[in-house]
Amino acid sequence: MIRIPQGVSLDPQTIRFLEQPQKMLIGGAWVEAKAGQRFSTLNPADGKALSTVPLAGKEDVDEAVAAARKAFETSWATKISPAKRGRLMWKLASLIQRDLQVLTELESLDNGKPMEKARYDVLGSINHLQYFAGWPTKIEGSTLPAGSPDKLVYTRREPLGVVGLIVPWNFPLLMAVWKLAPALACGNCCILKPAEQTPLTALYLGRLIQEAGFPDGVVNIVTGPGEPTGEAITRHMDIDKAGFTGSTAVGRKIMEAAAQSNLKRVSLELGGKSPNVVFADADMAAVLQSLHWASFYNTGQECTLGSRLYVQRPVFEQVVDALKASAEKLSIGHGLTNPDLGPMISEKQMDTVLGYIHSGQAEGAMLALGGHRCEGDLAEGYFLPPTIFIHEDDRLKIVQEEIFGPVVVVSPFDSQEEAIHRANDSRYGLAAAAWTSDISRAHRFAHAVKAGTVWINGYDLFDPAVPFGGYKESGFGREMGRSAIELYTQEKAVWVAL
Ligand code: NAP
Ligand code: MG
């Protein structure tokens, strides 16, 4: 029996799902791991187990790959029309919509995130599937004016084959769908591995994939940790591509594994340390409305978090005071009670963040808010409050490294040149934002900053039509939009002698 806060109730379907022993989806069947191993997934708001899931070993991944290869060769890429692929994807989106409440509750329980934010994620998944459901019928090749007139030369965009999709725990369902949707639209068959901390919504999605009528083996879902499960995917000789979202450290391992196995294609969405730059001429009301979310959304466990805040000196105090005041008002608690912020995903992640906070203090940054584990009613979960550091030294570890918690480092600057230089002083380059009412400055900043996404007078805006991905050590490859179609297809040139 799972524990939930007083006064909260769950959809009976959520309870039924949690009461059943979970299995993995391989070749259209729900199976245990061959070695019989299982592990628990817990709710980080109270550290209590929610369910157990199979721990897939290499032999299970082998079976999933064989099922995916068979589906690729015998049905998905050869017998199912592009229009039918699109219809199946649209059907899946409708089933997610039907079970919105159940998926929201499962996501909130497994990850800890507030109900309203979990709901955004599920709605985002629907939006994403619907956008990509329109693509299968629009993937085109071209004819080329090449060779002599007695030659016909054309190109085809073909699927890659079997793709391994490895996703993190911070937006579990949404990240899974970000990868599945373009991969399926292009005609690939998939092995999905959710993060070990958050397997539940992926497994629920597996049921909906079956109900929608996808042929067996088109999507296989294996649960387990990075080692052995993730590694069995990235080292596999019959997987054509590994699509990964996660840390830069694991991204390196994935490239190594690809290099040492079959040179599978790799795309990497990695970490970030995104600069959020406020110029003195900005619309302050708009800045202040967005700032606490840019700094602390998802309890800071977000790859695009505006974790480096630079504020032009004339408005520095005003902005810091306002950020402190709004951060103090953010409610923290169990996801099902729909606070502003939920817990950290795990004790380990909480300890990592506390380590960074101690390092910031030891290195001489000024702690302006937060900095300690939450106590009282929140003591049994992994809760940290919004934490603000003020500093003037970009060499500090807390300024250079991704913390992945509710910690923002704030620093004053004087000129536009200084702001751009400091924004780029990072090994990461995922996103950046500037707030200004000077249109030329806005575009100068957008062009000069080395990041895959730049927001002007806004933060954390996403749409399935807009490419997303990193510069520098934030990875490569662009998900979403037309770019994602390129990521999950390969081009073939055909020469015909007439
Ligand atoms: P992580 O440790 O890199 O894990 C990501 C995924 O990789 C998980 O499914 C993990 O499995 C798996 N994995 C771990 N070691 C592996 C290995 N040797 N081979 C294959 N797979 C392996 O990252 P995380 O802690 O889950 O997420 C936090 C990080 O992700 C942050 O750095 C954040 O910036 C980044 N992130 C980036 C984006 C983006 O779009 N750029 C989005 C979200 C998160 P287990 O967890 O089960 O071990
Ligand atoms: Mg969990």
Side-chain angles (χ1 to χ4, degrees):
M1 195 56 204
I2 62 151
R3 255 194 3 184
I4 56 172
Q6 271 192 337
V8 173
S9 62
L10 290 175
D11 190 297
Q13 209 170 319
T14 306
I15 297 171
R16 274 201 301 280
F17 181 82
L18 288 170
E19 282 171 355
Q20 291 161 12
Q22 294 307 319
K23 295 185 181 175
M24 305 184 288
L25 181 61
I26 296 182
W30 291 97
V31 298
E32 293 286 353
K34 286 193 187 310
Q37 280 184 285
R38 299 181 68 82
F39 66 99
S40 302
T41 183
L42 50 79
N43 181 346
D46 58 20
K48 300 284 185 293
L50 290 166
S51 182
T52 67
V53 300
L55 194 162
K58 185 177 173 306
E59 59 285 8
D60 302 296
V61 170
D62 285 345
E63 198 169 292
V65 175
R69 180 62 63 193
K70 184 167 165 223
F72 181 73
E73 302 290 354
T74 61
S75 70
W76 194 237
T78 52
K79 295 222 172 70
I80 308 265
S81 70
K84 174 95 194 276
R85 285 210 300 270
R87 281 198 297 276
L88 284 167
M89 291 173 67
W90 194 277
K91 177 85 196 288
L92 178 59
S94 310
L95 295 176
I96 295 176
Q97 180 78 53
R98 184 195 68 191
D99 291 355
L100 175 63
Q101 181 65 15
V102 179
L103 278 160
T104 301
E105 289 173 0
L106 288 174
E107 198 76 310
S108 175
L109 284 164
D110 208 7
N111 167 283
K113 65 174 63 196
M115 281 295 283
E116 183 188 306
K117 309 295 186 289
R119 195 162 186 275
Y120 291 160
D121 291 2
V122 182
L123 292 172
S125 306
I126 295 169
N127 197 19
H128 216 76
L129 271 164
Q130 289 177 337
Y131 169 83
F132 279 103
W135 263 107
T137 49
K138 295 162 196 74
I139 300 172
E140 297 171 341
S142 53
T143 55
L144 306 171
S148 50
D150 64 348
K151 298 286 183 297
L152 166 65
V153 185
Y154 63 92
T155 63
R156 288 165 50 77
R157 276 218 161 263
E158 299 185 342
L160 299 169
V162 175
V163 298
L165 309 173
I166 300 178
V167 296
W169 42 258
N170 55 349
F171 297 89
L173 180 72
L174 188 63
M175 291 298 111
V177 169
W178 273 25
K179 297 212 179 328
L180 282 172
L184 292 171
C186 293
N188 298 285
C189 292
C190 306
I191 318 293
L192 170 69
K193 190 198 91 64
E196 67 191 286
Q197 297 87 347
T198 53
L200 296 180
T201 46
L203 293 174
Y204 194 90
L205 182 71
R207 297 179 176 211
L208 300 185
I209 286 170
Q210 286 198 300
E211 187 181 341
F214 283 81
D216 291 348
V218 170
V219 178
N220 304 274
I221 303 171
V222 293
T223 46
E227 293 167 32
T229 319
E231 245 196 273
I233 293 173
T234 58
R235 296 198 173 276
H236 206 285
M237 294 300 287
D238 197 31
I239 289 185
D240 300 294
K241 179 201 164 94
F244 173 75
T245 296
S247 60
T248 296
V250 174
R252 278 181 218 287
K253 289 191 189 174
I254 286 176
M255 281 190 81
E256 277 169 21
Q260 288 159 10
S261 56
N262 60 342
L263 282 179
K264 58 179 64 64
R265 277 76 184 121
V266 171
S267 57
L268 304 175
E269 298 282 1
L270 306 177
K273 189 78 182 177
S274 300
N276 190 8
V277 179
V278 180
F279 289 95
D281 64 2
D283 171 351
M284 274 308 146
V287 172
L288 300 182
Q289 213 180 356
S290 130
L291 202 50
H292 54 282
W293 289 127
S295 309
F296 305 118
Y297 192 77
N298 213 37
T299 318
Q301 303 167 113
E302 188 197 28
C303 51
T304 55
L305 192 76
S307 51
R308 287 187 294 145
L309 176 61
Y310 292 105
V311 185
Q312 207 162 18
R313 217 172 285 272
V315 293
F316 184 77
E317 265 181 47
Q318 180 195 354
V319 169
V320 173
D321 289 349
L323 176 60
K324 263 173 73 171
S326 58
E328 272 171 335
K329 286 201 207 101
L330 292 173
S331 56
I332 304 173
H334 194 295
L336 291 182
T337 65
N338 197 30
D340 293 314
L341 303 176
M344 302 300 298
I345 190 66
S346 63
E347 187 163 22
K348 183 164 164 255
Q349 188 68 18
M350 179 182 71
D351 290 342
T352 302
V353 175
L354 284 170
Y356 276 111
I357 291 170
H358 297 148
S359 139
Q361 288 173 298
E363 286 188 310
M366 192 191 113
L367 183 64
L369 187 73
H372 302 280
R373 184 175 180 176
C374 301
E375 287 165 0
D377 290 349
L378 299 179
E380 61 176 2
Y382 314 127
F383 290 97
L384 292 176
T387 295
I388 301 175
F389 275 108
I390 296 172
H391 72 95
E392 295 223 26
D393 179 359
D394 288 347
R395 304 268 55 83
L396 300 184
K397 201 168 142 185
I398 54 167
V399 183
Q400 287 297 322
E401 295 185 15
E402 182 183 49
I403 297 175
F404 224 57
V407 182
V408 64
V409 297
V410 196
S411 189
F413 71 89
D414 292 301
S415 69
Q416 174 183 298
E417 291 65 35
E418 179 192 344
I420 290 172
H421 175 76
R422 294 176 71 187
N424 282 334
D425 183 10
S426 170
R427 65 191 181 100
Y428 293 112
L430 193 59
W435 299 81
T436 175
S437 51
D438 178 334
I439 190 168
S440 302
R441 164 181 286 157
H443 289 290
R444 273 200 298 274
F445 177 89
H447 296 190
V449 76
K450 294 185 171 48
T453 296
V454 182
W455 293 295
I456 302 295
N457 297 333
Y459 208 89
D460 264 350
L461 306 168
F462 296 95
D463 189 281
V466 181
F468 175 76
Y471 275 38
K472 301 195 265 186
E473 291 180 39
S474 291
F476 51 84
R478 294 290 176 270
E479 298 194 304
M480 306 212 253
R482 181 183 297 275
S483 309
I485 300 300
E486 284 161 21
L487 214 55
Y488 286 95
T489 53
Q490 52 198 340
E491 204 170 26
K492 176 182 279 175
V494 182
W495 290 71
V496 184
L498 298 176

